[in-house]
Amino acid sequence: MGGGYVLFGSARSGQMIMVALVLMVGSFYAGSIFGNNSPIYISQPSSSNSSSSSPSQSGPSNFANKIELTYRRTSVSIPESGVNVCPLKFNEYIPCHNVTYVQQLLPSLNLSRREELERHCPPLEQRLFCLVPPPKDYKIPIRWPTSRDYVWRSNVNHTHLAEVKGGQNWVHEQGQLWWFPGGGTHFKHGAPEYIQRLGNMTTNETGDLLSAGVEQVLDVGCGVASFAAYLLPLGIKTMSFAPKDGHENQIQFALERGIRAMISAIATKQMPYPAASFDMVHCSRCRVDWHENDGVLMKEVNRLLRPNGYFVYSAPPAYRKDKDFPVIWDKLVNLTSAMCWKLISRKVQTAIWVKEDDEACLRKNAELELITICDVEDVSKASWKVPLRDCVDISENRQQKPSSLTDRLSSYPTSLREKGISEDEFTLDTNFWREQVNQYWELMNVNKTEVRNVMDTNAFIGGFAAAMNSYPLWVMNVVPATMNDTLSGIYQRGLTGAYHDWCEPFSTYPRTYDLLHADHLFTHYKIYGEGCLLEDIMLEMDRIIRPQGFIIIRDEESIVSRVRDLAPKFLWEVEAHELQDKYKKTETVLFCRKKFWAIL
């Protein structure tokens, strides 16, 4: 099906991109919005030392990959011509958040609990098995930090959010660009002022959020993630999430800006994050009915918050006296009191509670049958596809945080001892990845600004992300749900991440990461069979990596050899380098790079 052909072009150098951005910013201050943006759009042929499959200096080259709508079959067979390319209309394909498939499920879903907003992965035979193309006029994303405020309109060509939220300064159209002024529904005059107000409210007017002990935040219903963007100057890491709903493409905007975010919803299942991982959970008009269903969603917030963590609630029940808002507020007060939270501030349309570390209070309220205490076994399970629990857990994650993030990155998290990981193994892993990351940058040979959104697909204890922390990027640490649950330790190091199972696609838009790191990921999944094959995972990697993005693969020699053979069929360039593993043995590491191709 479909017509046309696949076009490929290579990047200008990172230096040229930075020069272009400087010129664009200069033209902005001269009075025109970013001026000539052509240097950013990659349309030139590659250099003469490219492989034979690359275009010549004279112009673009055709590729053999066919444009054909192809579904996953029981027996995976990749044509000699390469993996087929999906038709252009599938340029935003998200397998487990596919509206068409969810509509088929609606009769069986609990719509009152908004179950339709959660992940729903179709069976294998209904999943596409073709390369997701970029949209028409796609451009290599603008680099951080300029991308915080400006992204290419053609990369996220949806006007609905600008139309309905422009008055609240979420996003505005500026010619070929989207402009993000830093506003939100409850901070239309700018996130910085709002963030300072929250700091005043949590410190009794004496400091900011960082001095209040806030270093890791979960932003519920984050919009375009401006709240997270403006927490970065304070050194605060935010995991932002929102569903794929009426606020069209909000997470796509966030990721295009270079801000940590993922598609998710708090509805019937636990969030894919460990217990006691966040210093603050933030809800600014997040459209979540916290008071419904005996407060089961509030109990999930309680699970996620660390002792003495904050719940920030900026929504009408916190300040309005009309309609049913006072009734909702009373329910929230009763729920939070039962969980032994303390309301510490309520002003300027915002209420803030602190989750007090008071086990005696929880035990007493359990005796009064105001709450139920969770079983210890339930608390210890990895929160992946786990139904929400109508109970409150007793926090055991009380490790004292080191005084600085640098110290946290190198300090041994005590939760790892329970997982059988010794302090010596932690130190070995930390030192190893410091060395490897330095070599990675040398071998990638790109400007540091060309890598912003990074995912470690098999993060183990976060050593790779810790080594990357000094660079202007962020890392999504993914701990496979079928492996040793080390994600709590990663959060204790001051990092962030999520549980996932790579037998299924990840909850993100296409083209959202600049670098994927896979350390022995394929080896783990080779025993899991259908849906978890090497080809399945490579296809998902291709979906979520940006054009010209890197995929670094370390694995068994047989797997490395197989990936090297398949890479050209996915339109990846590939180089093999010999590096030392953790135990000083030489291993082959693949550096794959996705070609910038498009359907004409």
Side-chain angles (χ1 to χ4, degrees):
M1 293 178 64
Y5 58 89
V6 178
L7 168 72
F8 160 65
S10 72
R12 301 276 183 103
S13 69
Q15 183 179 8
M16 285 295 291
I17 290 174
M18 289 305 296
V19 169
L21 288 178
V22 170
L23 290 173
M24 289 162 64
V25 173
S27 65
F28 170 74
Y29 285 110
S32 62
I33 300 298
F34 282 162
N36 181 6
N37 55 38
S38 58
I40 298 295
Y41 185 56
I42 308 303
S43 59
Q44 299 301 311
S46 67
S47 60
S48 57
N49 61 0
S50 297
S51 65
S52 59
S53 64
S54 299
S56 67
Q57 286 283 347
S58 59
S61 292
N62 296 347
F63 283 84
N65 302 62
K66 297 178 181 178
I67 299 172
E68 183 174 335
L69 184 61
T70 309
Y71 288 89
R72 173 67 159 78
R73 297 177 180 175
T74 303
S75 177
V76 174
S77 178
I78 295 179
E80 283 299 314
S81 57
V83 181
N84 289 339
V85 173
C86 305
L88 187 59
K89 70 176 183 178
F90 293 95
N91 68 83
E92 290 183 357
Y93 177 60
I94 311 172
C96 297
H97 298 272
N98 187 325
V99 174
T100 302
Y101 178 66
V102 171
Q103 287 176 341
Q104 299 174 21
L105 302 178
L106 288 181
S108 63
L109 300 178
N110 188 337
L111 303 186
S112 67
R113 298 274 302 274
R114 305 308 306 274
E115 189 178 4
E116 74 277 9
L117 298 179
E118 295 181 319
R119 286 173 56 87
H120 298 284
C121 300
L124 274 182
E125 63 273 12
Q126 293 187 42
R127 296 185 200 174
L128 297 187
F129 197 89
C130 47
L131 304 179
V132 175
K136 182 181 179 182
D137 296 328
Y138 178 83
K139 299 172 176 63
I140 296 300
I142 294 170
R143 302 305 182 190
W144 184 267
T146 308
S147 64
R148 186 195 71 175
D149 301 326
Y150 296 94
V151 304
W152 295 118
R153 176 176 171 173
S154 58
N155 289 9
V156 191
N157 198 11
H158 295 274
T159 61
H160 177 72
L161 205 57
E163 291 167 357
V164 300
K165 295 295 183 180
Q168 297 168 2
N169 281 328
W170 282 35
V171 57
H172 294 286
E173 182 181 348
Q174 295 279 9
Q176 295 187 55
L177 300 162
W178 291 117
W179 171 43
F180 301 88
T185 304
H186 261 80
F187 44 93
K188 63 182 179 181
H189 298 300
E193 182 272 337
Y194 174 70
I195 289 168
Q196 183 56 54
R197 189 195 324 150
L198 297 184
N200 292 337
M201 293 172 71
T202 52
T203 63
N204 196 24
E205 308 292 331
T206 62
D208 57 19
L209 287 177
L210 193 61
S211 64
V214 177
E215 295 180 0
Q216 290 157 297
V217 173
L218 181 66
D219 191 12
V220 182
C222 63
V224 295
S226 287
F227 181 67
Y230 286 89
L231 283 174
L232 286 173
L234 291 175
I236 296 174
K237 290 183 171 68
T238 305
M239 177 67 77
S240 301
F241 77 87
K244 190 174 185 293
D245 63 0
H247 283 170
E248 191 175 77
N249 298 79
Q250 52 190 325
I251 293 299
Q252 189 177 20
F253 276 119
L255 288 160
E256 187 72 14
R257 297 174 72 187
I259 303 169
R260 183 188 342 250
M262 63 184 293
I263 302 170
S264 194
I266 182 166
T268 69
K269 296 182 179 66
Q270 289 181 359
M271 303 300 298
Y273 318 118
S277 292
F278 297 98
D279 304 306
M280 174 181 284
V281 174
H282 174 255
C283 163
S284 175
R285 283 289 186 103
C286 62
R287 305 200 299 175
V288 174
D289 294 326
W290 301 107
H291 61 288
E292 297 287 4
N293 301 298
D294 296 321
V296 68
L297 300 182
M298 288 292 277
K299 290 163 187 171
E300 173 64 358
V301 172
N302 186 80
R303 182 185 75 84
L304 294 168
L305 276 176
R306 292 187 172 116
N308 301 310
Y310 303 97
F311 177 60
V312 176
Y313 182 65
S314 296
Y319 60 92
R320 286 178 57 173
K321 305 298 182 183
D322 59 331
K323 300 182 179 179
D324 60 348
F325 294 129
V327 174
I328 294 173
W329 174 257
D330 288 343
K331 288 183 178 180
L332 290 175
V333 169
N334 291 336
L335 285 167
T336 53
S337 297
M339 294 188 296
C340 301
W341 292 10
K342 180 181 179 181
L343 180 65
I344 61 169
S345 187
R346 183 189 182 191
K347 58 184 178 182
V348 197
Q349 303 184 350
T350 298
I352 300 180
W353 285 269
V354 63
K355 172 188 171 179
E356 295 196 306
D357 189 8
D358 192 343
E359 183 175 342
C361 174
L362 292 173
R363 299 286 183 193
K364 178 181 177 182
N365 286 353
E367 290 178 4
L368 295 173
E369 298 185 349
L370 298 176
I371 56 170
T372 301
I373 302 297
C374 299
D375 293 336
V376 175
E377 289 184 3
D378 290 337
V379 175
S380 63
K381 292 179 181 177
S383 48
W384 174 252
K385 296 187 176 181
V386 176
L388 288 177
R389 296 173 293 120
D390 190 15
C391 58
V392 176
D393 58 278
I394 303 294
S395 295
E396 297 181 355
N397 189 354
R398 292 188 173 88
Q399 179 176 357
Q400 187 70 31
K401 289 192 295 187
S403 57
S404 71
L405 177 58
T406 302
D407 291 338
R408 287 185 74 180
L409 291 171
S410 57
S411 296
Y412 175 64
T414 54
S415 65
L416 295 182
R417 187 173 292 112
E418 302 167 9
K419 307 299 179 181
I421 299 167
S422 68
E423 191 164 355
D424 287 343
E425 185 176 359
F426 171 83
T427 302
L428 175 64
D429 186 83
T430 300
N431 293 334
F432 170 72
W433 286 115
R434 285 175 185 161
E435 298 171 358
Q436 294 301 298
V437 162
N438 288 333
Q439 294 186 64
Y440 282 1
W441 284 111
E442 291 178 9
L443 293 171
M444 287 191 294
N445 191 28
V446 294
N447 192 297
K448 304 300 188 294
T449 61
E450 292 187 45
V451 177
R452 173 64 186 172
N453 301 357
V454 179
M455 177 186 285
D456 194 356
T457 60
N458 184 17
F460 186 43
I461 56 177
F464 171 76
M468 282 286 208
N469 191 69
S470 61
Y471 297 96
L473 52 79
W474 58 269
V475 180
M476 177 72 77
N477 291 284
V478 176
V479 172
T482 50
M483 297 185 76
N484 196 3
D485 178 10
T486 53
L487 194 53
S488 289
I490 289 173
Y491 272 87
Q492 285 179 357
R493 298 182 77 172
L495 304 168
T496 57
Y499 296 109
H500 183 62
D501 182 355
W502 288 108
C503 295
E504 299 177 359
F506 195 76
S507 289
T508 193
Y509 281 83
R511 302 171 301 279
T512 50
Y513 285 90
D514 301 298
L515 170 62
L516 301 179
H517 185 244
D519 180 27
H520 289 80
L521 177 74
F522 295 101
T523 294
H524 173 71
Y525 278 99
K526 69 180 182 181
I527 64 172
Y528 285 86
E530 286 301 316
C532 317
L533 301 182
L534 180 146
E535 292 87 346
D536 293 310
I537 298 175
M538 286 183 69
L539 184 72
E540 177 61 3
M541 287 177 165
D542 184 83
R543 187 184 72 86
I544 67 178
I545 196 72
R546 286 170 168 169
Q548 298 183 343
F550 288 90
I551 305 169
I552 301 176
I553 297 171
R554 312 177 77 115
D555 221 304
E556 294 178 354
E557 190 59 40
S558 60
I559 288 175
V560 167
S561 177
R562 177 66 175 152
V563 171
R564 189 190 304 187
D565 291 342
L566 286 175
K569 295 181 181 293
F570 284 83
L571 295 177
W572 298 357
E573 296 172 326
V574 60
E575 292 182 356
H577 296 278
E578 300 299 315
L579 300 178
Q580 287 189 332
D581 68 10
K582 199 177 297 185
Y583 305 102
K584 304 300 181 181
K585 294 181 180 179
T586 300
E587 65 176 347
T588 301
V589 180
L590 295 184
F591 285 70
C592 305
R593 196 172 194 187
K594 180 177 177 176
K595 296 176 179 179
F596 184 10
W597 54 267
I599 296 176
L600 293 185

